[in-house]
Amino acid sequence: QVQLVESGGGLVQAGGSLRLSCAASGRTFSSLSMGWFRQAPGKEREFVAGITWGGTHTNYVDSVKGRFTISRDNAKNTVYLQMNSLKPEDTAVYYCAADSSLIWSKLRPDYWGQGTQVTVSP
Protein backbone atom coordinates (compact mmCIF):
# COMPACT_ATOMS: atom_id res chain seq x y z
CA GLN A 1 0.00 0.00 0.00
CA VAL A 2 1.14 3.50 -0.82
CA GLN A 3 0.25 6.59 1.19
CA LEU A 4 0.34 9.98 -0.49
CA VAL A 5 0.08 13.27 1.38
CA GLU A 6 -0.22 16.54 -0.51
CA SER A 7 0.58 20.00 0.74
CA GLY A 8 1.04 23.49 -0.65
CA GLY A 9 -2.39 24.42 -1.90
CA GLY A 10 -4.04 27.74 -1.14
CA LEU A 11 -5.44 30.97 -2.48
CA VAL A 12 -3.45 33.02 -4.98
CA GLN A 13 -4.17 35.85 -7.37
CA ALA A 14 -4.07 35.33 -11.11
CA GLY A 15 -0.51 35.45 -12.36
CA GLY A 16 0.86 34.14 -9.10
CA SER A 17 2.64 30.92 -8.25
CA LEU A 18 2.23 27.94 -5.96
CA ARG A 19 4.24 24.80 -5.39
CA LEU A 20 2.50 21.59 -4.47
CA SER A 21 4.33 18.77 -2.74
CA CYS A 22 3.38 15.14 -2.34
CA ALA A 23 5.18 12.90 0.12
CA ALA A 24 4.95 9.17 -0.52
CA SER A 25 5.45 6.25 1.82
CA GLY A 26 4.80 2.55 1.95
CA ARG A 27 6.69 1.47 -1.13
CA THR A 28 9.99 2.10 -2.86
CA PHE A 29 9.41 5.54 -4.33
CA SER A 30 11.55 4.98 -7.40
CA SER A 31 9.29 2.08 -8.42
CA LEU A 32 6.38 4.49 -8.84
CA SER A 33 5.46 6.71 -11.72
CA MET A 34 3.96 9.87 -10.22
CA GLY A 35 1.45 12.40 -11.37
CA TRP A 36 -0.92 15.21 -10.56
CA PHE A 37 -4.61 15.31 -11.45
CA ARG A 38 -7.20 17.96 -10.74
CA GLN A 39 -10.95 18.24 -10.44
CA ALA A 40 -12.85 21.48 -10.74
CA PRO A 41 -16.43 21.84 -9.48
CA GLY A 42 -18.85 20.19 -11.86
CA LYS A 43 -16.08 18.72 -14.00
CA GLU A 44 -14.42 15.36 -14.31
CA ARG A 45 -11.01 14.70 -12.84
CA GLU A 46 -8.30 15.35 -15.41
CA PHE A 47 -4.64 14.50 -15.78
CA VAL A 48 -2.38 17.52 -15.30
CA ALA A 49 1.23 16.30 -15.23
CA GLY A 50 3.20 13.11 -14.87
CA ILE A 51 6.77 11.99 -14.39
CA THR A 52 8.47 8.66 -14.92
CA TRP A 53 10.16 6.57 -12.26
CA GLY A 54 13.61 8.11 -12.59
CA GLY A 55 12.34 11.53 -13.58
CA THR A 56 13.72 11.46 -17.11
CA HIS A 57 10.41 11.95 -18.87
CA THR A 58 7.47 14.20 -18.15
CA ASN A 59 4.09 14.81 -19.71
CA TYR A 60 1.57 17.64 -19.36
CA VAL A 61 -1.96 18.47 -20.39
CA ASP A 62 -1.84 21.15 -23.07
CA SER A 63 -3.50 23.79 -20.90
CA VAL A 64 -0.58 23.88 -18.43
CA LYS A 65 2.39 23.43 -20.75
CA GLY A 66 4.93 26.19 -20.25
CA ARG A 67 3.41 27.18 -16.89
CA PHE A 68 3.60 24.04 -14.70
CA THR A 69 6.63 21.88 -13.98
CA ILE A 70 6.58 18.48 -12.34
CA SER A 71 9.69 17.15 -10.64
CA ARG A 72 10.63 14.50 -8.13
CA ASP A 73 13.26 13.90 -5.49
CA ASN A 74 13.67 10.17 -5.03
CA ALA A 75 15.89 10.70 -1.99
CA LYS A 76 13.05 12.54 -0.26
CA ASN A 77 10.21 10.37 -1.63
CA THR A 78 8.53 13.52 -2.83
CA VAL A 79 7.04 14.80 -6.06
CA TYR A 80 6.44 18.48 -6.74
CA LEU A 81 4.26 20.57 -9.01
CA GLN A 82 5.51 24.10 -9.57
CA MET A 83 2.65 26.19 -10.90
CA ASN A 84 3.41 29.59 -12.40
CA SER A 85 1.28 32.16 -14.20
CA LEU A 86 -1.81 30.74 -12.55
CA LYS A 87 -5.20 31.43 -14.07
CA PRO A 88 -8.69 31.33 -12.51
CA GLU A 89 -9.42 28.26 -14.64
CA ASP A 90 -6.68 26.41 -12.74
CA THR A 91 -8.91 26.48 -9.67
CA ALA A 92 -9.52 22.89 -8.58
CA VAL A 93 -8.72 20.24 -6.05
CA TYR A 94 -5.32 18.84 -7.00
CA TYR A 95 -4.61 15.18 -6.35
CA CYS A 96 -1.29 13.42 -6.25
CA ALA A 97 -1.33 9.97 -7.81
CA ALA A 98 1.04 7.04 -8.14
CA ASP A 99 1.19 3.85 -10.13
CA SER A 100 3.73 1.19 -10.92
CA SER A 101 2.83 1.65 -14.59
CA LEU A 102 3.31 4.84 -16.63
CA ILE A 103 1.02 7.29 -14.90
CA TRP A 104 -0.38 8.97 -18.01
CA SER A 105 -1.30 5.63 -19.54
CA LYS A 106 -3.72 4.88 -16.69
CA LEU A 107 -7.26 6.19 -16.65
CA ARG A 108 -7.27 5.69 -12.91
CA PRO A 109 -3.91 5.21 -11.16
CA ASP A 110 -3.75 2.79 -8.26
CA TYR A 111 -2.93 5.25 -5.47
CA TRP A 112 -4.31 8.69 -4.62
CA GLY A 113 -3.75 11.40 -2.10
CA GLN A 114 -6.55 13.19 -0.28
CA GLY A 115 -6.30 16.29 -2.45
CA THR A 116 -5.39 19.91 -1.85
CA GLN A 117 -7.44 22.94 -2.87
CA VAL A 118 -5.96 25.50 -5.23
CA THR A 119 -7.99 28.66 -5.74
CA VAL A 120 -6.93 31.35 -8.19
CA SER A 121 -8.74 34.67 -7.90
CA PRO A 122 -9.13 37.00 -10.91
Side-chain angles (χ1 to χ4, degrees):
Q1 193 68 15
V2 175
Q3 292 79 44
L4 303 172
V5 179
E6 302 104 332
S7 61
L11 174 64
V12 64
Q13 288 187 329
S17 298
L18 284 174
R19 188 175 83 152
L20 305 183
S21 300
C22 172
S25 61
R27 185 167 169 176
T28 302
F29 186 64
S30 59
S31 71
L32 298 168
S33 176
M34 302 296 297
W36 291 92
F37 291 70
R38 67 186 179 187
Q39 188 167 19
K43 295 187 177 181
E44 294 188 353
R45 191 172 299 186
E46 67 168 347
F47 169 80
V48 175
I51 189 166
T52 51
W53 306 265
T56 53
H57 298 285
T58 58
N59 193 20
Y60 300 90
V61 67
D62 285 347
S63 60
V64 308
K65 286 181 180 177
R67 301 188 298 122
F68 291 12
T69 303
I70 188 171
S71 62
R72 66 189 293 162
D73 186 337
N74 284 358
K76 295 182 178 180
N77 293 353
T78 301
V79 63
Y80 305 97
L81 185 67
Q82 178 66 44
M83 305 185 293
N84 298 328
S85 302
L86 282 161
K87 304 176 181 179
E89 51 263 43
D90 294 318
T91 295
V93 177
Y94 283 71
Y95 296 91
C96 177
D99 201 285
S100 56
S101 302
L102 188 63
I103 196 81
W104 53 83
S105 70
K106 296 293 292 287
L107 185 62
R108 187 166 179 83
D110 288 341
Y111 306 105
W112 295 89
Q114 80 286 356
T116 186
Q117 177 70 45
V118 171
T119 303
V120 184
S121 62

